[in-house]
Amino acid sequence: MEASEIQTPGRTVLSSSGKQEVVYETSDFWRRNSALQNEVILILFCSIRVVAGAFAKIPHRAKKCRLHCTKPLTLHIDYCENTAKIGPTKRWDTAAIQHFRKLLEEVTEIKATIQAVEDKVLEVFLFVTIRDEKICVNDDLVAKHFAYYKEAEGTAGGSADNSDDEVSLNAGYVLVEFVGPTFLARPKLPFGEEVSPHLEPDLAGCNCVLQKRSQRPHTVLKDKTVPVVSMVPAVPSKEDKAVQTERLPQFLNPDSLQTHTVEDDQQSCKSVGKEKNFVFLSKKIEPSSVLETAPLFDGLKKELVWNKFSGPTFTESYCWPPVAQGCDVIAISHQGNDPFLYIPPVLTLLQLESDCQVLPDMSGPLALILCPGWKKAQLVFDLLKTYGKGGRRLHPVLVILGQNKEAASQVEIQGCEVVVTTPFNLLRLLEHNTRFLCRLCHLVLDEIEVLFSGTTEQVFTILDCYKKATAQAQGGLPHQIIAVGTQWNKHITPLIKEFMNDPHIVITVIKEAALFGNVQQVVQPCMNSSRTAELLKILDFTQRNLQKVLVFTDSVTEVEMIHKALKSNSVVSLKKHKESKCNAKCVLERWRKMHSSGTPAVLVLTDGCLQSLGIRDATCVIHFSFPSPGVFEQRLQSMSDDFCTGIKDSAVDEEHTKAKSVILLAENSFCHAPGILHYLKRAEAEIPEEFCDLTAKVLESGENEKSSRPFCASLKTFGICRNRTECPDCHQISFSIDMAQNIADEMVETPERVTILPLFIIHATNYFGRVVKKQKDQYTVLAKEMNDYFKVPGHRISVNTVEKSVYYGLHEGANCHRVQVVETPAKDEENICKVTNKYIDEGRTSQVNSDQLLHLFPSEFQSLPPQAVEIVVCRVKPIDNEVEWNPKVTDHINHKIKGKLHHAKVVHTLGRTVWVDPMVGVTNLPTMKMWINEYNIRAEILSTGLGTDNPEHVGEIQKLCRQIAVLDHAQSLEHLPAKPETTVGKSGKLGTSVQALLVRSTKEDTAGAEEASSPQDTLIQENSAGNCSSSVGLPGSKPSIISDVFKCEFKLGA
């Protein structure tokens, strides 16, 4: 049978011909499965044959050995302290490995004396004969400072933990003759220490006494020649020859001697250390919790130490081993947005030379990392450059393309092994280079829940391309898909089924494990007074199946009430709360005996008792009291043993549903409704209309509580906020707060064309600057007067006591600025502190020493209102649904517009913010009395290919203004029943004045009401003469609400 026909692992034999190379591991020779030591053997694929059945029955002969009591030494380098010391380590140095293998290459005879057997590992003294000289390898390593002697201590389990650290000192396989300990007498020093005759005197103190035997629970041999069979556990050392002959195959294949049950690879759930360290695993993984023993190459470890890396974290300890082994991995964790979950082991895989030996000779990356946006891609790219220095250069490339067609053709990937990009950018690149994925071995999906929520179609298109590329690849390339994130997503199921190969699934978030585990979520609406009746109905249903039911509540009174109601309705139940006399162990035993005896097990308890009980095998949880998200997660953990470990075909597949969670929704269940509702939607549960209504009210109430927060920047600049529930800022316009500041009427005299001077660029479409008057600009006059005044040294009077919200002068170079203090930290010993100031005429902020602030005298310098206004360019947004502008666009616009005059049309104003469309850079030709338009900012952004049209922008802002105007008008009619005031403008068109709706300033910009008479309150006083202009499409249209309280000027026909 050809090897290509083999469907399951089996023993193989080799021939000497063939063409295609594959990786193999022979069963007759022990080999460490470690990517770190590069122990991969390449053979010809056509040389592999299936062993005949009779030969397959021959037991394995290879045995794992370890040098007895010989522990490795290494040179410990402290990169931070610049020191180096020789000391114990858990891994053998490369030099020690090379010396060991060199000894074995030159030997003519190899023998070993077995000293002990531990966990099927033979502990030996190894003796080699080289040119008629017998050498003890143990002693030779010690003499050359590669190792030291240490008496074995602790239990077998503890020693086994370090066994993998010592096997790196192997030479593939060695034919060894096992003999008794009298083969070579080991000389003794006067102290009674057994050391080599070649041992240097200064190392004598490093060795432990070998005369005393270890007390570990493993088999220790006597000081005489014994039969090999005596090493096998449970086999007596004195047996007749027939018994020894019978035991020989068992020794050669000791797996047949095992009588204990081997733990299944499908380890459903386990809790490590503290309760918060929950992990759900689809297959067993041995975590790497210490950086020194982590499966990473040495150069990377040094880089991590140098950069003061504090990991691996709990999640990383479970993710790194399967990733480093080249397995497909899905990791869901609170840490799921951290690139360190995959970057270190992926870098280790890429450092293996064997990964590159079978690759086709063509351009293309070996690893591709897909990120949800340019900002995350930039972070990952920077980390790759930082931590890729410790080994072979990988030449990572960040690919961020615009929509311009020529951009893809300019991408240079020759010699690049790692590409970081986003789904949209990769698809643009694939349109230009269809062979881009031909060499791809490792595909990483970063923040998988974000990728699948915004770019589902694009991600699956990329996965299809990768699948086709792997099918066409030549040479047996390794293929790996890694997906990490913070939340489980329904699209992960088809990802696993169609594109992954039996992945390792690591979930450290309980509620996400419940989603994967197909826990059925049920919401039962009821009145608060009828919850007990609903509970009885549910329990009557569950008694048809023998289930383990937990009824959770948050008070002792309710536990007693429920227990009494169940008892009166002939439902056998137990109760547990902090005042219970019965201890947790007793309650737990009784609860489990009820289920084993054929009685439904019902336990009523408070949340505080769950940890002491440690229940993980409940099949049904009933939330009698509505839980908070944190409590809800703890309650779900009580069913973790019944989470399904397989991939479900349907959310309502009853056959694969083991566990059930039932929420009793009463009228007072409102505090935590939004968080629970979002989770139930992800679980595809049937959600009653009452629950949605309740959640909507809670969200509305929460939005009102955020009214003191700044107006959402995303809503302001793009007209949309993609995550309002998580965004901490306000998404509504408050009539009272948004009137705090206003643009003076004279600043925007002609909204059709104003002159704007951008001074501080936040990003490509959001700036701070001044509106410059065409005639005599007041600020220009003020600035000249301030500069002339403070040129006199005697006029520069420093401030002794800095007060918040007060105006001061700040001299910078040749210019003097007006600033307002927004933050004053504690002073140092010299009575000087760093204060945060806002430049009220430019909009920027900075930190300066308090002694740099000057008293702003005379008072005329404070009379002019703050001149800084916020400017938003409309109808343009980033491509690919990005939430932030790419720095390339911002830098381009910053270089082009800062400090230069522009003409703009104001389409809307709100407080001290103006929305403009268009905004054009201009050049004045005074001799010809004309202005020349040089560029349009919106067109400049679109020309970069990184911006796209946003036609709904202004409409969304105007909609918010109309909503708050209607609400505030209805409230004000009771107090100000004034008639509408209608005026006719100079143009003869009908106009309506409405008091402007003003954007809020930050809290630091606003002085208290008690300071209303001070000159500084110009910035914060309400100004009824404000202006809010909105362009209206059709002439003759009339506003629906007109009042003296609202004076909004609609330019009809503009």
Side-chain angles (χ1 to χ4, degrees):
M1 181 186 294
E2 294 290 339
S4 59
E5 301 175 7
I6 302 174
Q7 302 297 324
T8 58
R11 298 189 178 98
T12 61
V13 293
L14 310 176
S15 66
S16 59
S17 63
K19 297 180 180 180
Q20 192 174 10
E21 291 184 332
V22 297
V23 177
Y24 88 102
E25 179 177 353
T26 172
S27 61
D28 284 341
F29 302 118
W30 177 85
R31 167 187 172 278
R32 184 184 181 191
N33 183 17
S34 170
L36 185 62
Q37 298 301 328
N38 200 16
E39 296 167 352
V40 179
I41 304 174
L42 298 179
I43 66 163
L44 299 177
F45 184 79
C46 298
S47 301
I48 301 179
R49 299 291 184 272
V50 177
V51 176
F55 295 106
K57 297 179 181 179
I58 298 176
H60 299 186
R61 290 171 296 172
K63 293 287 105 183
K64 181 177 179 181
C65 300
R66 182 163 53 218
L67 298 179
H68 182 56
C69 293
T70 308
K71 305 299 179 182
L73 288 172
T74 190
L75 185 65
H76 293 279
I77 301 177
D78 191 329
Y79 293 95
C80 299
E81 300 294 336
N82 287 327
T83 59
K85 300 178 181 178
I86 293 181
T89 183
K90 294 184 178 181
R91 306 190 72 83
W92 290 96
D93 276 347
T94 304
I97 297 173
Q98 293 175 350
H99 176 71
F100 179 73
R101 292 177 176 175
K102 185 178 180 181
L103 287 176
L104 299 182
E105 290 172 359
E106 300 175 355
V107 300
T108 56
E109 184 181 35
I110 304 178
K111 296 186 179 182
T113 60
I114 303 171
Q115 303 299 311
V117 178
E118 179 184 354
D119 295 336
K120 297 185 291 185
V121 180
L122 309 182
E123 296 204 4
V124 302
F125 282 116
L126 186 63
F127 299 93
V128 297
T129 301
I130 301 177
R131 291 185 292 272
D132 297 329
E133 180 183 0
K134 290 184 174 61
I135 300 174
C136 175
V137 175
N138 305 55
D139 294 345
D140 189 65
L141 291 172
V142 172
K144 290 181 170 57
H145 291 208
F146 290 130
Y148 71 105
Y149 282 126
K150 180 180 179 181
E151 184 178 7
E153 298 176 355
T155 63
S159 178
D161 293 340
N162 296 329
S163 62
D164 286 344
D165 301 323
E166 300 178 16
V167 296
S168 59
L169 190 60
N170 75 83
Y173 69 96
V174 181
L175 298 177
V176 180
E177 177 185 355
F178 291 99
V179 297
T182 58
F183 171 70
L184 179 64
R186 297 179 54 78
K188 297 183 179 181
L189 295 180
F191 323 111
E193 295 182 344
E194 287 190 48
V195 294
S196 169
H198 309 290
L199 183 64
E200 296 179 7
D202 58 338
L203 288 178
C206 297
N207 299 296
C208 297
V209 178
L210 295 179
Q211 287 181 328
K212 297 181 180 178
R213 295 306 180 189
S214 172
Q215 300 301 318
R216 291 177 293 177
H218 58 210
T219 305
V220 180
L221 302 183
K222 305 298 181 180
D223 289 337
K224 62 181 180 179
T225 304
V226 293
V228 172
V229 71
S230 65
M231 298 182 300
V232 182
V235 179
S237 58
K238 294 182 180 180
E239 296 187 26
D240 57 31
K241 191 172 183 179
V243 174
Q244 294 183 21
T245 305
E246 182 181 356
R247 293 288 189 181
L248 180 59
Q250 294 179 342
F251 168 68
L252 295 175
N253 188 9
D255 292 339
S256 60
L257 291 177
Q258 294 180 356
T259 58
H260 63 281
T261 303
V262 179
E263 184 179 3
D264 193 273
D265 283 344
Q266 298 287 335
Q267 181 176 346
S268 62
C269 176
K270 68 192 213 176
S271 182
V272 181
K274 299 180 180 179
E275 184 182 5
K276 66 178 181 180
N277 287 339
F278 168 89
V279 60
F280 180 93
L281 304 174
S282 62
K283 294 188 287 187
K284 184 178 179 180
I285 298 174
E286 288 297 329
S288 298
S289 57
V290 181
L291 181 60
E292 188 176 4
T293 59
L296 310 177
F297 70 96
D298 291 337
L300 177 57
K301 291 181 182 179
K302 293 176 182 178
E303 287 292 334
L304 291 170
V305 172
W306 180 260
N307 289 277
K308 301 186 183 304
F309 177 70
S310 59
T313 62
F314 179 75
T315 307
E316 289 166 354
S317 68
Y318 281 94
C319 289
W320 287 0
V323 173
Q325 293 169 11
C327 304
D328 289 351
V329 177
I330 290 178
I332 305 297
S333 167
H334 290 303
Q335 190 194 349
N337 56 1
D338 187 353
F340 273 100
L341 284 181
Y342 60 85
I343 283 182
V346 168
L347 287 177
T348 299
L349 285 174
L350 294 174
Q351 288 297 326
L352 294 179
E353 294 179 359
S354 58
D355 276 358
C356 307
Q357 292 177 1
V358 294
L359 294 174
D361 186 15
M362 60 181 66
S363 63
L366 301 181
L368 173 65
I369 302 176
L370 278 184
C371 299
W374 68 262
K375 197 169 187 179
K376 183 60 178 292
Q378 183 68 54
L379 171 64
V380 173
F381 176 69
D382 292 340
L383 290 174
L384 289 173
K385 290 196 300 182
T386 300
Y387 293 99
K389 300 174 183 177
R392 181 171 56 87
R393 291 184 61 104
L394 302 175
H395 305 285
V397 172
L398 175 64
V399 178
I400 301 295
L401 304 175
Q403 293 179 327
N404 300 333
K405 294 183 179 180
E406 65 275 8
S409 61
Q410 298 173 356
V411 176
E412 181 60 44
I413 59 172
Q414 189 69 33
C416 161
E417 297 188 15
V418 187
V419 167
V420 186
T421 186
T422 66
F424 286 104
N425 287 291
L426 179 60
L427 290 178
R428 295 187 193 107
L429 191 59
L430 289 176
E431 290 179 4
H432 174 74
N433 185 358
T434 57
R435 307 276 302 168
F436 180 76
L437 303 178
C438 290
R439 290 184 359 133
L440 189 63
C441 299
H442 314 283
L443 174 61
V444 180
L445 304 177
D446 194 315
E447 294 190 46
I448 188 68
E449 75 283 355
V450 182
L451 290 174
F452 277 145
S453 63
T455 56
T456 307
E457 181 180 351
Q458 290 75 16
V459 171
F460 278 112
T461 300
I462 292 169
L463 289 169
D464 285 331
C465 294
Y466 179 53
K467 189 175 182 179
K468 293 176 182 178
T470 57
Q472 299 172 0
Q474 301 294 326
L477 290 178
H479 296 111
Q480 179 184 39
I481 297 179
I482 304 165
V484 299
T486 58
Q487 294 181 348
W488 184 264
N489 186 284
K490 63 180 180 181
H491 297 295
I492 298 180
T493 299
L495 169 67
I496 295 174
K497 290 182 177 180
E498 300 176 22
F499 303 100
M500 303 183 85
N501 180 22
D502 190 22
H504 286 264
I505 300 176
V506 180
I507 306 177
T508 60
V509 184
I510 299 170
K511 63 182 181 180
E512 305 305 325
L515 281 179
F516 170 76
N518 201 18
V519 175
Q520 183 183 3
Q521 300 289 344
V522 179
V523 180
Q524 183 62 48
C526 60
M527 298 299 293
N528 193 51
S529 57
S530 62
R531 286 186 298 167
T532 304
E534 290 293 338
L535 174 64
L536 292 173
K537 293 180 183 178
I538 296 170
L539 291 177
D540 180 61
F541 173 78
T542 58
Q543 286 191 28
R544 300 173 189 173
N545 305 319
L546 291 181
Q547 297 195 30
K548 300 177 182 179
V549 182
L550 297 179
V551 181
F552 284 99
T553 185
D554 54 9
S555 69
V556 175
T557 304
E558 286 187 341
V559 170
E560 295 291 344
M561 182 267 293
I562 296 170
H563 182 68
K564 184 176 180 181
L566 295 179
K567 185 176 181 180
S568 61
N569 285 272
S570 302
V571 177
V572 180
S573 65
L574 301 174
K575 64 179 180 180
K576 177 61 179 169
H577 52 74
K578 62 181 180 180
E579 299 176 5
S580 300
K581 296 181 179 179
C582 189
N583 60 34
K585 184 178 180 181
C586 176
V587 172
L588 188 60
E589 289 179 356
R590 292 174 58 191
W591 184 64
R592 287 180 172 159
K593 285 181 180 179
M594 289 171 60
H595 182 264
S596 60
S597 63
T599 304
V602 180
L603 175 60
V604 186
L605 72 161
T606 56
D607 296 304
C609 301
L610 183 58
Q611 184 175 2
S612 60
L613 290 169
I615 296 175
R616 297 292 181 269
D617 57 348
T619 58
C620 180
V621 165
I622 301 175
H623 308 273
F624 192 83
S625 62
F626 197 84
S628 66
V631 171
F632 181 69
E633 196 167 12
Q634 293 176 5
R635 293 176 179 180
L636 291 179
Q637 187 176 5
S638 63
M639 300 184 291
S640 55
D641 285 353
D642 288 312
F643 290 172
C644 296
T645 57
I647 299 298
K648 61 183 180 181
D649 292 324
S650 171
V652 294
D653 192 348
E654 295 293 335
E655 183 179 353
H656 293 85
T657 302
K658 291 184 178 181
K660 178 186 290 186
S661 169
V662 182
I663 299 175
L664 298 182
L665 180 65
E667 66 272 14
N668 60 349
S669 306
F670 60 88
C671 292
H672 307 291
I676 301 297
L677 175 63
H678 179 65
Y679 178 77
L680 294 176
K681 287 181 178 179
R682 293 173 50 221
E684 301 181 354
E686 294 184 8
I687 303 174
E689 185 178 350
E690 298 91 334
F691 199 2
C692 296
D693 295 340
L694 178 65
T695 304
K697 293 179 181 179
V698 174
L699 290 175
E700 183 179 355
S701 174
E703 195 63 43
N704 293 333
E705 292 177 358
K706 296 191 292 186
S707 60
S708 60
R709 293 283 305 167
F711 190 62
C712 176
S714 179
L715 190 58
K716 182 189 299 182
T717 53
F718 304 129
I720 185 174
C721 180
R722 302 188 187 279
N723 193 359
R724 294 197 176 197
T725 57
E726 299 294 331
C727 179
D729 294 331
C730 186
H731 301 87
Q732 296 177 352
I733 298 174
S734 170
F735 180 76
S736 58
I737 298 177
D738 291 336
M739 289 182 61
Q741 295 188 14
N742 186 32
I743 299 176
D745 287 340
E746 60 271 14
M747 294 181 69
V748 186
E749 294 176 343
T750 56
E752 291 80 5
R753 192 180 75 170
V754 296
T755 302
I756 293 177
L757 182 65
L759 297 171
F760 175 57
I761 312 303
I762 299 176
H763 56 67
T765 56
N766 191 200
Y767 335 116
F768 278 94
R770 289 198 304 271
V771 177
V772 181
K773 293 189 64 175
K774 300 177 183 177
Q775 310 302 330
K776 186 177 181 180
D777 185 61
Q778 293 179 332
Y779 178 76
T780 304
V781 175
L782 175 65
K784 184 178 184 306
E785 293 177 353
M786 289 175 57
N787 289 334
D788 293 341
Y789 179 82
F790 285 107
K791 281 182 180 178
V792 181
H795 292 167
R796 301 176 190 173
I797 304 175
S798 298
V799 178
N800 293 326
T801 303
V802 177
E803 298 181 22
K804 190 175 180 180
S805 302
V806 177
Y807 291 173
Y808 297 104
L810 180 62
H811 204 271
E812 288 184 342
N815 299 319
C816 188
H817 305 274
R818 298 191 301 171
V819 298
Q820 184 184 37
V821 176
V822 295
E823 184 178 349
T824 56
K827 296 182 179 181
D828 57 18
E829 297 178 356
E830 299 180 358
N831 206 30
I832 297 176
C833 62
K834 286 282 187 181
V835 294
T836 303
N837 306 295
K838 181 174 182 178
Y839 294 71
I840 62 175
D841 300 312
E842 296 184 12
R844 62 189 173 100
T845 59
S846 70
Q847 278 194 339
V848 298
N849 292 331
S850 58
D851 59 349
Q852 294 181 254
L853 299 180
L854 307 175
H855 283 289
L856 201 57
F857 298 129
S859 59
E860 288 79 7
F861 293 164
Q862 305 182 31
S863 60
L864 184 67
Q867 297 296 292
V869 296
E870 188 176 10
I871 306 158
V872 179
V873 176
C874 301
R875 295 193 306 115
V876 63
K877 63 181 180 180
I879 61 172
D880 304 340
N881 296 322
E882 294 278 6
V883 296
E884 295 183 52
W885 284 107
N886 191 294
K888 295 179 182 178
V889 187
T890 299
D891 293 342
H892 174 67
I893 297 299
N894 181 42
H895 176 73
K896 201 168 192 69
I897 73 172
K898 186 175 181 180
K900 301 177 182 179
L901 290 176
H902 293 73
H903 285 171
K905 179 181 178 180
V906 178
V907 297
H908 195 76
T909 62
L910 185 63
R912 303 195 65 82
T913 302
V914 294
W915 283 261
V916 296
D917 185 27
M919 181 172 171
V920 181
V922 294
T923 300
N924 184 20
L925 299 178
T927 57
M928 302 180 65
K929 297 183 180 181
M930 64 183 298
W931 294 84
I932 298 178
N933 294 344
E934 292 187 358
Y935 55 85
N936 184 313
I937 292 182
R938 180 175 177 274
E940 283 289 324
I941 295 174
L942 294 176
S943 68
T944 64
L946 298 172
T948 187
D949 192 32
N950 185 17
E952 300 87 7
H953 184 185
V954 180
E956 292 296 325
I957 302 298
Q958 293 174 344
K959 185 190 300 184
L960 289 174
C961 292
R962 287 194 294 269
Q963 290 173 353
I964 194 62
V966 171
L967 293 174
D968 286 339
H969 173 67
Q971 296 173 1
S972 63
L973 288 179
E974 302 177 2
H975 308 288
L976 299 171
K979 294 182 179 181
E981 176 185 357
T982 304
T983 62
V984 177
K986 294 180 180 180
S987 61
K989 296 181 180 180
L990 182 65
T992 304
S993 296
V994 180
Q995 187 168 344
L997 301 173
L998 311 167
V999 74
R1000 64 176 51 79
S1001 64
T1002 59
K1003 186 176 180 182
E1004 290 78 10
D1005 294 334
T1006 306
E1010 67 276 9
E1011 301 173 354
S1013 60
S1014 66
Q1016 288 78 12
D1017 291 319
T1018 313
L1019 183 63
I1020 62 172
Q1021 287 179 347
E1022 297 181 359
N1023 190 340
S1024 61
N1027 179 293
C1028 175
S1029 63
S1030 300
S1031 60
V1032 180
L1034 297 175
S1037 61
K1038 298 180 181 180
S1040 58
I1041 297 176
I1042 306 171
S1043 172
D1044 285 337
V1045 181
F1046 310 99
K1047 297 181 180 179
C1048 183
E1049 184 176 3
F1050 290 86
K1051 298 296 179 180
L1052 303 180

